[in-house]
Amino acid sequence: MESVADALGRCVLFEGSSPQERAVLASLARRRRYPRGETVFREGDPCTGLYVVEDGRVKVRVTSPEGKERILALLGPGDVLGELAVLDGGTRCADVVAQEECTLIFLDGEEFREFLRGHPEASVRLLRLLARRLRSADLQLHDAAFYDVRGRLARTLLRLASEHGEEVEGGILCPRLSQAEVAHLIGATRESVNTWLGRFERMGLLRRREGRWVVVDPDRLRREAY
């Protein structure tokens, strides 16, 4: 297994950081392993620190009082979670659950804030990350307001392929998600997602591979997104 310092170097928050910076952070960090389905933290929990995904994936979700779930994001290796509550000292604003077995690197909140005070360039990188998150949230609102299920599904599959996919023979393999999870991700019913996945498959835009979807023709799928 690679060192914590090397793993932090692959994190979007610490790209371009010096070896000295990463060594300081690594001395503060702790690795935590989560099996698939285990909750990392829940909405409303006090914030104790931030996490960096070293391997595996987690899903960020919110749940309505009626029990309806909405997946806000999937995060994989190099992504950061919990950074907002670290800055404002508030509580967690969503649940984070291990989508698959994963390793997270934990940084204590107070220790991380002290690190930022001594490393202003790291604060700039954090601002860039927050801007990226805000842009992603705006994009989700835009999709919900202006696209039907077909368009939202096509756009989401393209994002999954771009951000989390892996090149395989004949296309780009998306991460493993159930139809219900895809529905929670785009704000639709499982039945409507099932209908459009089937149509995209018959059109030759997607194919199944061991329970996962392969985007076969991104250009044609992109045309379905508009």
Side-chain angles (χ1 to χ4, degrees), residues 29 36 57 83 90 92 125 128 134 140 149 156-157 165 192:
R36 183 177 185 274
R57 286 188 176 81
E83 73 287 344
R92 304 297 190 185
R125 291 194 294 271
R128 290 197 190 105
L134 180 59
Q140 284 191 327
V149 173
T156 296
L157 288 169
S192 59

Side-chain angles (χ1 to χ4, degrees), residues 70-92:
R70 179 70 188 268
I71 297 177
L72 302 179
L74 288 179
L75 301 177
D79 285 329
V80 180
L81 53 136
E83 73 287 344
L84 187 59
V86 164
L87 290 179
D88 67 7
T91 58
R92 304 297 190 185

Side-chain angles (χ1 to χ4, degrees), residues 170-190:
I172 305 172
L173 185 65
C174 291
R176 186 182 302 278
L177 287 170
S178 69
Q179 289 184 5
E181 287 172 323
V182 175
H184 295 158
L185 191 58
I186 70 170
T189 65
R190 188 191 64 78

Side-chain angles (χ1 to χ4, degrees), residues 194-212:
N194 177 60
T195 295
W196 278 106
L197 285 172
R199 290 185 185 181
F200 289 164
E201 185 177 17
R202 290 191 294 275
M203 293 167 65
L205 308 180
L206 303 174
R207 65 179 173 85
R208 289 187 179 92
R209 173 174 168 169
E210 299 176 353
R212 298 165 67 179

Side-chain angles (χ1 to χ4, degrees), residues 11-175:
C11 169
V12 293
L13 182 54
F14 305 117
E15 289 175 349
S17 60
S18 68
Q20 292 77 18
E21 280 184 314
R22 294 195 296 275
V24 171
L25 287 166
S27 70
L28 305 174
R30 296 188 292 278
R31 274 189 171 110
R32 295 181 177 178
R33 193 75 181 167
Y34 295 86
R36 183 177 185 274
E38 184 169 338
T39 299
V40 178
F41 55 73
R42 296 185 183 279
E43 182 180 1
D45 283 353
C47 174
T48 56
L50 62 81
Y51 296 81
V52 174
V53 183
E54 182 175 2
D55 61 54
R57 286 188 176 81
V58 299
K59 61 181 177 181
V60 183
R61 71 181 186 189
V62 291
T63 306
S64 73
E66 297 78 24
K68 294 182 179 180
E69 180 180 310
R70 179 70 188 268
I71 297 177
L72 302 179
L74 288 179
L75 301 177
D79 285 329
V80 180
L81 53 136
E83 73 287 344
L84 187 59
V86 164
L87 290 179
D88 67 7
T91 58
R92 304 297 190 185
C93 56
D95 300 338
V96 171
V97 178
Q99 177 72 15
E100 54 193 58
E101 186 177 6
C102 59
T103 302
L104 306 182
I105 297 173
F106 176 77
L107 290 163
D108 176 79
E110 182 53 46
E111 292 178 337
F112 183 67
R113 287 190 291 272
E114 183 63 30
F115 172 82
L116 290 178
R117 283 189 279 270
H119 299 80
E121 62 281 3
S123 298
V124 173
R125 291 194 294 271
L126 179 58
L127 287 173
R128 290 197 190 105
L129 173 63
L130 293 174
R132 194 180 308 170
R133 292 281 167 83
L134 180 59
R135 189 176 294 112
S136 177
D138 286 346
L139 186 60
Q140 284 191 327
L141 289 173
H142 178 270
D143 286 0
F146 295 108
Y147 293 94
D148 58 12
V149 173
R150 179 191 69 174
R152 296 202 303 275
L153 178 59
R155 290 166 68 84
T156 296
L157 288 169
L158 288 166
R159 281 199 291 271
L160 289 173
S162 172
E163 296 172 7
H164 302 281
E166 55 184 286
E167 294 279 351
V168 295
E169 185 177 355
I172 305 172
L173 185 65
C174 291

